[in-house]
Amino acid sequence: MSMFAFVTCCLLCLCHAIPTSKEAKCGYDSCNPVKDDMINVHLVPHTHDDVGWLKTVDQYYYGARNEIQNAGVQYVLDSVIPALVSDPNKRFIYVEIAFFARWWREQTDSMRHVVKGLVNSGQFEFILGGWCMNDEASTHYNAMIDQHALGFEFLRQNFGECGRPRIGWQIDPFGHSREQASMFAQFGFDGLFFGRLDYQDKNHRLNTSTMEMLWHGSPDNLGTQGDLFTGALYNGYGPPGGFDWDQFSSNDPIMDDHRLHDYNVNQKVNDFLEAVHDQAKHYKTNHIVMTMGSDFQYQNAHHWYKNLDKLIKYTNMRQTTHSSKVNLLYSTPSCYTYQLNRANKTWPTKSDDFFPYADREHTFWTGYFTSRAALKGYVRETNAFSQACRQLDAMAKLTDSDNSTINIQVLKEAMGVAQHHDAVSGTEKQQVAYDYALRLANGRNECQKVMNDAMRKLLPKEKEGPAAMEMKYCDLLNISACTLTEQNKEFVMIVYNPLGRTVKHWVRLPVIGSAYSVLDPSGNTVETQMVPLTKRTTVIPERKGHIATSELVFQVQIPALGFSTYMVKMTQGKKKLTKSSNIRGFVGEPFVMKNKHMSLKFDGKGNWEKLTDLHSKKSINVTNDIVYYNGMPGNCSKGEFQPSGAYIFRPNGTSPQKWTGPSSAMSIVGPLVDEVHMEFSPWATQVTRQYKDEPYVEVEWTVGPIPVQDKLGKEVVVRFETGLNTDTYFYTDANGREILRRVRDYRETWDLNQTEPVAGNYYPVNSRIFLRDEGTGMQFTVMTDRSQGGASIHDGEVELMVHRRLLYDDCKGVGEPMNETGADQQGLIIRGKMYLHLGQTLDTAKFHRDFGLKKYMAPIPAFSETNMKYQEYSATYNTQWSGLKRELPANVHLLTLEQWGGPTLTPSATQPYLIRLEHFYEMAEDAKLSLPVTVSLQDLFATFTIDSIEELTLGANLAKASMQRLKWNTMDGELITDKDKNVYKVENRQKLEGPLDITLNPMEIRTFQVNLKDGPPRQKVDRFTVFS
Ligand SMILES: [Zn+2]
């Protein structure tokens, strides 16, 4: 019988036996039985399917370009399903919904019915259930939540409760974030397993049987709500040596016919039992888990299952023939977790994170914190774009006929794919990086249509008024390129603010004129300043064809969740409305940049000297430079020959190379902004900038093309040396949220043998890094515009790696050096910003929490040509508009506002919305803003009225009231201090005053499905039909 005939036959005959959802027995009830008096070996058949790495996500799905890597995910699913149907004992887990959704779309109704049956019986289980298995170092929490919620929504719509994942499965990411653990706990997960942890940490944990623990994901804020049972896998995520039975493996199958040569059953079972005992002695219970699979395995599932069947049969036979106490079973991570919980042990705990990760002495995976810095910036910026698009769609109540659901889905899926641990991490091949960027660009284009449709409804003053203009978005403002502002003498700019509070924001528009009139939403003239573009900007190859000569600088003010309109007109020849800037070189005279908050003194050559907080009148000595490490070359043949590459940071020496201060510097002074331009080298330049009244100093770095003619790769760092006494401590954020204290050359849970004094002290910086001087009470904070690697290699110093170009592959699989060459193939130029603040520690949270939010959700400008006069325009269109009737409190962020196809707990005639509200301060960070806060949703939104709300879990796939998690006994049960007792007592919600009053504790995110009185009609769109 051919394979095809066999499959068809089995599927047909078994269709009737598949239980319907009413008789579903998924979850812990569906686990295969264990034997309590034996070592139970949970064999977990699995495939690890990267959502893009060496090939693009679609090449992986189809199995195209197999000369790069033999991998085709469609065949995995095609092959596994009939194997499961043929035997109810078999199990399989599936993880990456970006792939599963692609496959599901192709299936017939009868195949879908079969798969649902397997899900309902627990044979086929979704684990993790995100759109991808996201990176944990360079991802932002907002995008992480979204990518999981996207996968969860697919699963819920197609599989209901039995499709709801219960376990986190981060088997491949290169280091693990505490915020991720906290998030999983809030999804309602019962456990997390991962494959990679520092080799010293792993040795210590193996020796002390602490590979499995309870991880406090949010020890200081959410307490038990952030606790998650966590296990480090024994063997990465592969099978024990000799037991890889994938189709191309060279490991021997089990040969069990005595009549044939090479009978090997006894040998195989002996070897396997040895592997079992080796592993079991390091774990606490009589259960161990073995991951039977690896990257893109099970394309021919029969190879694996046939041999696993024999392994189970012959090993378990020893129970009767040899009184063996080892019991093998097909299992899943959730069934394994359930047995660990049943064992009723007391578990160790952990309160820090699993960064940085090293797999041997000179192999620290800290390079990817910065790799592909341009892509990292693009992913971050696109997050704000995606939020704004969904907010506008919701507030304008767009419907099916606008096609907005599908258009938004394109960007959601592109963002989902981009969070993968070989995407935003920068560890993919170049052609795959281009594919990620293309998907994001396509998604943004689709969302621009939605935003235009929304503005068509929100702009006109009269419902029957003229159609709004087509707005254009400028994605290259960071390199002063925007065709519309460059080529038009008159245009209108509409700036949208995705935050729930009024914000002020500085815009810089690339223009060709020397003077412009700018009118604000009320028709008043806005003060403007012209700053000329320098050659450093005009020669950027990606600007080719753009003609701007200057930037027009002015400040805009935008109401909460709303927009403001500014009319811009060139006034060449008339009276000059725009202030020009005074430009001077440094010729030995010091220069002071100063506003009402901070002053920065430069010496006569343009070097930084002294930074002063004008509120506390305290100063620190501070120097700043751009320096670089030469990346170590090597061929990996020995540990000491480990080169720097896409994953690995290994500098050739402990001190960076530096130039002797800026080789040239000039100051640009005007009424709105002062700048000092410094050139450390022709390829490493910086603008230090201070805007009027802003409590920070901006540092705009431009790095590249990094020269490699000397055959040395380079890793470029922006460094600040302060006089602060920091005593080895520095602080970094986890995924843009909670702050962790870092201690140089130290790990909290084991005695570190530091073998890489620079790379081994690098940590992911998603949004901020800071230094504190306990003596003076001063804090020096650096905010970033994207994820970067950061460290404090000496007391008082902060360094952030901004760009890297390397000439060797680091032998972690990508097979390419990390060598981005840019549009002209000469070496990519990257530009980004940092924001510096000096203040008293007690006052600083107020700055960095608020400012961090303003940066990651920065206002989005859009432009249109017009020759309407202000009076005509303002009579026709709203020049200013807010989607909120009142502003949100100063410590609350509207994390999510979107139309939602998800759970319909209470049926409603209109489309439900999803709302997430976040308290974005930590406990005790600020005397006032860290307190619990209550927000009322009553009459909050301008365009819709809330009828009812229901609270969901953070992943929005379950009613919060239905969330039940396993409970675990911990060793620190007795050790909780008085402070901890308060910390853990998080259920201090104030008595709710009304049904729409939401109280938030520090760092709490609450998720609600909202039914509207006057929402758009319920949409029946299968949004999972488009893929990007
Ligand atoms: Zn992977």
Side-chain angles (χ1 to χ4, degrees):
M1 195 189 281
S2 75
M3 187 67 191
F4 175 76
F6 165 78
V7 169
T8 314
C9 170
C10 276
L11 292 183
L12 288 176
C13 58
L14 279 161
C15 278
H16 300 286
I18 301 294
T20 65
S21 57
K22 278 182 189 157
E23 3 170 329
K25 195 195 143 197
C26 56
Y28 301 131
D29 292 340
S30 67
C31 296
N32 277 328
V34 298
K35 296 188 175 173
D36 283 339
D37 59 339
M38 296 193 183
I39 296 176
N40 292 281
V41 182
H42 294 251
L43 300 172
V44 176
H46 80 108
T47 180
H48 175 65
D49 298 344
D50 290 306
V51 181
W53 179 38
L54 309 182
K55 308 200 289 189
T56 69
V57 55
D58 288 339
Q59 289 166 352
Y60 273 133
Y61 176 67
Y62 277 122
R65 304 289 312 269
N66 268 358
E67 77 280 9
I68 299 173
Q69 184 181 13
N70 193 312
V73 175
Q74 58 171 338
Y75 307 125
V76 174
L77 291 160
D78 287 345
S79 165
V80 161
I81 300 301
L84 296 179
V85 168
S86 72
D87 175 6
N89 282 318
K90 289 195 168 64
R91 295 289 183 273
F92 196 76
I93 60 168
Y94 202 76
V95 175
E96 300 87 0
I97 305 306
F99 284 125
F100 187 84
R102 279 164 167 75
W103 183 81
W104 187 247
R105 181 174 59 160
E106 291 181 348
Q107 304 310 309
T108 60
D109 282 350
S110 63
M111 177 53 101
R112 289 182 176 191
H113 188 75
V114 168
V115 176
K116 282 180 191 173
L118 293 170
V119 170
N120 288 341
S121 68
Q123 276 192 268
F124 186 90
E125 185 177 338
F126 293 104
I127 295 286
L128 182 73
W131 203 247
C132 68
M133 182 186 296
N134 64 227
D135 174 37
E136 299 189 41
S138 47
T139 39
H140 189 271
Y141 72 97
N142 193 350
M144 291 160 81
I145 293 170
D146 279 355
Q147 82 90 6
H148 283 105
L150 183 63
F152 292 169
E153 192 194 357
F154 172 88
L155 292 175
R156 200 205 53 77
Q157 284 185 10
N158 289 291
F159 298 97
E161 176 60 13
C162 285
R164 184 170 64 82
R166 295 161 174 271
I167 300 289
W169 190 247
Q170 296 289 106
I171 55 177
D172 196 24
F174 335 119
H176 304 283
S177 150
R178 211 176 67 178
E179 188 62 32
Q180 179 86 73
S182 169
M183 203 177 277
F184 284 158
Q186 296 172 70
F187 291 159
F189 283 7
D190 279 325
L192 159 66
F193 295 91
F194 58 71
R196 297 181 186 274
L197 71 166
D198 187 281
Y199 70 105
Q200 294 181 26
D201 190 7
K202 185 173 180 179
N203 284 340
H204 173 73
R205 289 184 180 280
L206 288 171
N207 291 337
T208 53
S209 298
T210 53
M211 290 286 274
E212 294 167 331
M213 70 209 86
L214 191 82
W215 192 357
H216 296 311
S218 178
D220 300 328
N221 295 292
L222 303 180
T224 52
Q225 290 180 50
D227 285 354
L228 185 69
F229 183 82
T230 301
L233 297 167
Y234 185 68
N235 196 35
Y237 55 89
F243 295 89
D244 179 341
W245 283 311
D246 203 44
Q247 59 179 343
F248 302 119
S249 168
S250 55
N251 291 172
D252 279 340
I254 293 185
M255 297 179 273
D256 55 345
D257 188 336
H258 283 284
R259 296 165 298 185
L260 304 185
H261 290 198
D262 305 325
Y263 177 88
N264 68 355
V265 170
N266 291 336
Q267 189 60 47
K268 276 286 180 191
V269 171
N270 288 344
D271 289 352
F272 194 77
L273 286 173
E274 197 180 318
V276 167
H277 290 298
D278 278 351
Q279 179 172 342
K281 67 183 182 220
H282 298 293
Y283 286 79
K284 268 175 147 0
T285 72
N286 63 328
H287 294 269
I288 60 171
V289 62
M290 285 190 173
T291 43
M292 305 309 276
S294 192
D295 294 5
F296 298 97
Q297 292 201 349
Y298 288 80
Q299 288 186 77
N300 185 343
H302 186 63
H303 276 252
W304 259 114
Y305 280 122
K306 185 167 191 179
N307 285 288
L308 284 173
D309 280 346
K310 290 182 183 177
L311 181 71
I312 293 169
K313 175 179 153 190
Y314 292 115
T315 309
N316 288 354
M317 265 169 57
R318 295 267 181 110
Q319 294 167 14
T320 32
T321 58
H322 295 66
S323 305
S324 161
K325 290 287 184 189
V326 172
N327 182 48
L328 272 52
L329 63 146
Y330 281 116
S331 188
T332 66
S334 48
C335 291
Y336 174 64
T337 303
Y338 182 64
Q339 292 302 334
L340 295 184
N341 185 260
R342 265 190 71 226
N344 205 21
K345 296 272 183 198
T346 299
W347 301 93
T349 61
K350 178 178 173 75
S351 296
D352 62 336
D353 63 4
F354 289 94
F355 286 119
Y357 162 56
D359 64 299
R360 50 184 182 175
E361 276 182 328
H362 302 296
T363 308
F364 277 83
W365 300 50
T366 53
Y368 81 97
F369 298 163
T370 298
S371 292
R372 300 194 189 280
L375 181 65
K376 283 182 166 67
Y378 194 46
V379 171
R380 177 67 55 87
E381 191 196 298
T382 303
N383 177 62
F385 206 84
S386 167
Q387 305 304 330
C389 177
R390 285 136 71 178
Q391 292 175 354
L392 282 164
D393 173 65
M395 290 189 295
K397 300 190 277 194
L398 298 183
T399 63
D400 276 8
S401 57
D402 302 301
N403 213 25
S404 69
T405 311
I406 297 294
N407 290 341
I408 290 172
Q409 185 73 6
V410 177
L411 183 54
K412 277 190 173 184
E413 292 184 12
M415 279 295 282
V417 167
Q419 309 309 314
H420 168 59
H421 59 270
D422 295 302
V424 67
S425 59
T427 54
E428 64 280 50
K429 280 188 186 291
Q430 185 63 51
Q431 63 119 350
V432 180
Y434 287 144
D435 185 69
Y436 290 127
L438 176 65
R439 285 167 197 276
L440 292 172
N442 288 342
R444 288 170 74 122
N445 281 339
E446 295 304 305
C447 249
Q448 285 171 14
K449 293 178 195 163
V450 175
M451 289 155 89
N452 264 317
D453 287 343
M455 292 308 273
R456 252 178 229 121
K457 297 203 169 178
L458 301 176
L459 267 177
K461 284 197 159 165
E462 307 289 335
K463 263 201 173 151
E464 303 304 317
M469 306 143 298
E470 184 80 8
M471 304 302 296
K472 295 209 167 62
Y473 292 82
C474 286
D475 292 346
L476 298 179
L477 285 172
N478 65 327
I479 53 170
S480 307
C482 175
T483 304
L484 194 139
T485 62
E486 290 170 79
Q487 297 192 342
N488 289 285
K489 292 185 174 174
E490 275 182 77
F491 56 89
V492 58
M493 175 178 75
I494 300 178
V495 203
Y496 177 71
N497 166 25
L499 290 181
R501 275 178 300 286
T502 299
V503 300
K504 289 181 176 173
H505 179 70
W506 293 94
V507 292
R508 301 175 73 98
L509 304 182
V511 291
I512 53 167
S514 60
Y516 287 80
S517 101
V518 177
L519 300 181
D520 74 7
S522 310
N524 301 316
T525 300
V526 176
E527 189 174 20
T528 55
Q529 180 183 339
M530 197 65 80
V531 178
L533 293 188
T534 60
K535 192 166 171 234
R536 180 64 168 146
T537 295
T538 55
V539 300
I540 291 172
E542 283 77 5
R543 283 189 86 251
K544 202 173 172 191
H546 287 275
I547 56 174
T549 52
S550 302
E551 284 184 329
L552 178 66
V553 180
F554 57 97
Q555 192 178 40
V556 296
Q557 180 167 324
I558 321 148
L561 227 58
F563 59 82
S564 291
T565 308
Y566 291 79
M567 301 192 77
V568 182
K569 188 176 180 185
M570 197 190 286
T571 58
Q572 220 93 347
K574 296 183 189 171
K575 66 172 183 178
K576 283 218 167 182
L577 282 166
T578 306
K579 301 282 190 307
S580 54
S581 305
N582 273 327
I583 303 174
R584 294 174 62 169
F586 278 79
V587 287
E589 292 293 306
F591 172 78
V592 178
M593 187 178 264
K594 184 176 177 183
N595 67 13
K596 67 182 184 190
H597 299 290
M598 272 199 282
S599 74
L600 176 61
K601 186 179 173 205
F602 298 78
D603 72 11
K605 291 181 180 166
N607 296 301
W608 289 27
E609 264 190 0
K610 192 196 264 188
L611 185 64
T612 306
D613 165 28
L614 296 173
H615 299 286
S616 66
K617 308 270 190 295
K618 286 185 179 163
S619 298
I620 58 169
N621 293 329
V622 58
T623 64
N624 146 253
D625 50 9
I626 298 181
V627 295
Y628 63 90
Y629 297 97
N630 286 317
M632 186 73 95
N635 63 5
C636 314
S637 57
K638 283 182 172 177
E640 59 260 46
F641 300 150
Q642 172 68 55
S644 238
Y647 303 85
I648 308 303
F649 173 34
R650 190 179 178 208
N652 178 4
T654 52
S655 300
Q657 310 293 313
K658 59 182 291 184
W659 298 279
T660 50
S663 63
S664 72
M666 64 171 183
S667 62
I668 294 181
V669 175
L672 302 180
V673 63
D674 293 346
E675 299 185 348
V676 170
H677 292 235
M678 298 136 92
E679 182 181 294
F680 295 95
S681 128
W683 59 269
T685 60
Q686 179 183 298
V687 180
T688 306
R689 188 175 278 148
Q690 191 180 41
Y691 288 102
K692 188 181 170 189
D693 296 346
E694 293 290 352
Y696 60 88
V697 169
E698 181 174 305
V699 168
E700 184 182 77
W701 49 270
T702 305
V703 173
I706 299 175
V708 288
Q709 292 86 344
D710 56 3
K711 305 271 190 281
L712 291 169
K714 294 174 187 66
E715 325 207 31
V716 184
V717 160
V718 172
R719 188 173 62 173
F720 306 97
E721 294 172 347
T722 75
L724 294 178
N725 183 359
T726 53
D727 194 19
T728 75
Y729 296 143
F730 59 109
Y731 300 79
T732 60
D733 67 305
N735 307 103
R737 291 196 95 220
E738 296 190 13
I739 305 293
L740 284 95
R741 186 174 77 170
R742 309 301 188 178
V743 187
R744 194 166 59 249
D745 297 329
Y746 175 82
R747 305 287 187 266
E748 198 171 303
T749 58
W750 82 91
D751 289 331
L752 174 69
N753 172 25
Q754 182 62 278
T755 47
E756 282 286 332
V758 178
N761 281 310
Y762 259 65
Y763 287 88
V765 176
N766 299 103
S767 62
R768 67 209 76 184
I769 179 170
F770 53 78
L771 302 176
R772 282 177 178 166
D773 185 324
E774 301 293 342
T776 62
M778 296 303 282
Q779 177 168 331
F780 176 76
T781 307
V782 184
M783 312 287 297
T784 67
D785 64 349
R786 71 197 68 199
S787 290
Q788 292 165 336
S792 176
I793 301 298
H794 304 103
D795 280 357
E797 274 183 27
V798 168
E799 66 180 56
L800 287 152
M801 189 183 291
V802 296
H803 192 5
R804 43 204 321 257
R805 186 179 187 190
L806 298 161
L807 302 177
Y808 291 82
D809 174 49
D810 55 9
C811 315
K812 295 300 172 193
V814 71
E816 279 181 6
M818 180 47 242
N819 182 1
E820 296 173 292
T821 53
D824 65 354
Q825 303 296 305
Q826 299 302 302
L828 183 64
I829 301 174
I830 304 185
R831 170 173 286 175
K833 288 178 182 171
M834 294 171 190
Y835 310 90
L836 272 51
H837 180 269
L838 177 69
Q840 290 183 291
T841 295
L842 292 174
D843 294 334
T844 301
K846 206 174 352 188
F847 166 75
H848 73 76
R849 289 292 171 197
D850 185 61
F851 187 75
L853 204 51
K854 282 178 180 159
K855 283 300 148 193
Y856 102 81
M857 291 289 272
I860 297 168
F863 305 92
S864 185
E865 304 160 32
T866 182
N867 37 33
M868 284 169 100
K869 298 272 173 285
Y870 175 80
Q871 279 71 16
E872 188 190 348
Y873 184 94
S874 59
T876 314
Y877 301 119
N878 293 310
T879 55
Q880 194 158 43
W881 181 85
S882 173
L884 293 187
K885 291 183 179 169
R886 57 184 181 276
E887 300 204 345
L888 292 178
N891 47 5
V892 175
H893 174 43
L894 180 66
L895 182 63
T896 305
L897 170 62
E898 63 177 295
Q899 298 202 35
W900 182 244
T904 49
L905 307 173
T906 306
S908 157
T910 62
Q911 184 68 23
Y913 282 14
L914 187 71
I915 288 179
R916 286 193 187 89
L917 290 168
E918 174 189 6
H919 189 314
F920 61 95
Y921 280 76
E922 289 197 55
M923 190 93 79
E925 240 180 2
D926 185 272
K928 283 186 189 149
L929 296 168
S930 288
L931 298 174
V933 57
T934 300
V935 190
S936 175
L937 295 177
Q938 190 92 45
D939 294 324
L940 177 64
F941 295 94
T943 61
F944 56 87
T945 308
I946 293 172
D947 194 33
S948 64
I949 62 172
E950 288 177 88
E951 185 159 14
L952 306 177
T953 53
L954 182 63
N957 61 342
L958 181 69
K960 183 84 180 278
S962 305
M963 183 169 105
Q964 283 186 320
R965 299 177 63 217
L966 300 175
K967 304 256 183 299
W968 304 85
N969 305 320
T970 63
M971 287 176 176
D972 61 10
E974 297 293 309
L975 299 173
I976 291 177
T977 62
D978 283 346
K979 175 178 170 278
D980 291 332
K981 275 182 195 155
N982 289 329
V983 165
Y984 282 99
K985 209 165 61 184
V986 293
E987 283 303 327
N988 58 347
R989 298 210 190 293
Q990 294 161 0
K991 193 167 175 289
L992 295 185
E993 288 144 15
L996 296 183
D997 291 339
I998 315 295
T999 299
L1000 297 154
N1001 285 315
M1003 279 289 138
E1004 188 175 30
I1005 299 173
R1006 295 182 69 187
T1007 305
F1008 300 93
Q1009 178 184 304
V1010 170
N1011 291 322
L1012 311 182
K1013 283 195 178 111
D1014 45 6
R1018 213 181 163 78
Q1019 303 186 11
K1020 287 199 171 55
V1021 181
D1022 179 2
R1023 60 179 74 190
F1024 291 96
T1025 55
V1026 289
F1027 296 93
S1028 79

